[in-house]
Amino acid sequence: MRPVVCATIVAGICLGASTCAGAAPSLVLSTTAATGGSPAARDLPLTPGVSASLVAAAAAGYRLPASAFLGIAPTGEGFAAYYGYDAASSTYWAAASLVPNPKYAEAEVVVQDDGAYLIFHRTANGPWGVQDAGYTDTVGDCAAYHVNLPAAIVAVWHWIPGTCHPPAAPTTTQAAPLSGVALARHDWFLGARASAAQEGVYWVRAATALTVTAANTQADRRAAAELRQLARLPDAQETPAQQAQSGADATELNAFFVSNGLYGVNAPSATTTSFVATLQAEARIGTLSANEPQANGAIPGPLAGAKVDCPVLASLAVGTLFGCMVSHGAAGSFLLVGTLESAHGTSYIASMLREPVSQCLDLDPATQAVVKKLGGVCG
């Protein structure tokens, strides 16, 4: 990975692995898109119980314990989780990406490449079957992985026929393939989920999507140049100058694609108020995450409509401890406690905690003090 900042952890990938070693994303249980579509199939809510059964089935397929995975991956562009029922074949179908537990090196390996996205299916009383779907999103990738996803399920999930992944944005049943900025943004998000050796493939493809159409603008061409420049940088052992360049490119591209927080990079904040606004924007698009998920509850996302308030935030100086309350009508409330890693809030390390904080005594005294200032309760 190229930029070495560690603002957030997105879908299990942290830019600058040496900086963020041991970090893990929050467990996220995502639901499917709105119901509807063909009467031959129906969309179903992805409940915690179903999510747990998917994780268990995938773990068994890899001959690993269920604890080797933290759960279903965060909802992000191209990697949302889906669940549905095909009446014609009396079969349940699901699709998801898994979050590896950093304590299991093998789990972190299997979720890359072919295991980056999985398709599940089972009959009414049968076990889940699991098939790799990789992380390409080209038409024909289902056939390449020998996945026979029913057309009715593809329609009810609003996927592009022939692909084994959700599109970058909601589409109609008769959706046309993505192109231009939409396709580029889709690949920008997919690159964040790819391995360090493969992410550049998505960046180059995104750059191509921005320049092949006659309608490309000066902003499109500039973003394409930054994507290609980022792809040319080494994926490890960067010099300080290369680290600075990759961080600057990622910041500019996040601004272009409206993906602040992706790749662990935030735009600079001039004031504490703008930093809080950045956190709120991250909550909306699903890039607000945590480096130490707590065992006493999942952190859902994206938290559309979430309110972020940070009463413990004195300045944006490096090393400043901050404490925020994240409130969401359906998901509940959480405490976000962290430390600014660079000036203007461009990177930070944080823990998302559910109350009561069951591991409060394991936190360092300074973090415990922030929890108490937020009115947190140690369990």
Side-chain angles (χ1 to χ4, degrees), residues 36-39 151-161 167 169-178:
S38 169
I153 288 291
V154 171
V156 81
W157 285 351
H158 303 314
W159 287 12
I160 298 170
T171 64
T172 62
T173 302
Q174 295 79 27
L178 299 171

Side-chain angles (χ1 to χ4, degrees), residues 269-280 308 313 316:
S269 297
T271 65
T272 56
T273 299
S274 61
F275 178 67
V276 174
T278 291
L279 295 178
Q280 188 132 19
V308 179
L313 181 59
L316 296 179

Side-chain angles (χ1 to χ4, degrees), residues 226-317:
E226 290 168 338
L227 283 160
R228 291 192 174 99
Q229 181 172 255
L230 196 59
R232 286 194 297 269
L233 292 170
D235 57 20
Q237 297 181 331
E238 289 182 316
T239 66
Q242 290 170 331
Q243 292 173 3
Q245 183 62 66
S246 59
D249 286 340
T251 298
E252 290 291 330
L253 288 165
N254 272 340
F256 178 81
F257 288 119
V258 193
S259 58
N260 200 45
L262 200 64
Y263 293 95
V265 180
N266 282 318
S269 297
T271 65
T272 56
T273 299
S274 61
F275 178 67
V276 174
T278 291
L279 295 178
Q280 188 132 19
E282 286 193 62
R284 285 197 301 272
I285 68 171
T287 57
L288 181 65
S289 189
N291 70 315
E292 294 176 1
Q294 303 302 301
N296 61 329
I299 308 300
L303 303 175
K307 179 183 179 182
V308 179
D309 181 35
C310 300
V312 183
L313 181 59
S315 74
L316 296 179

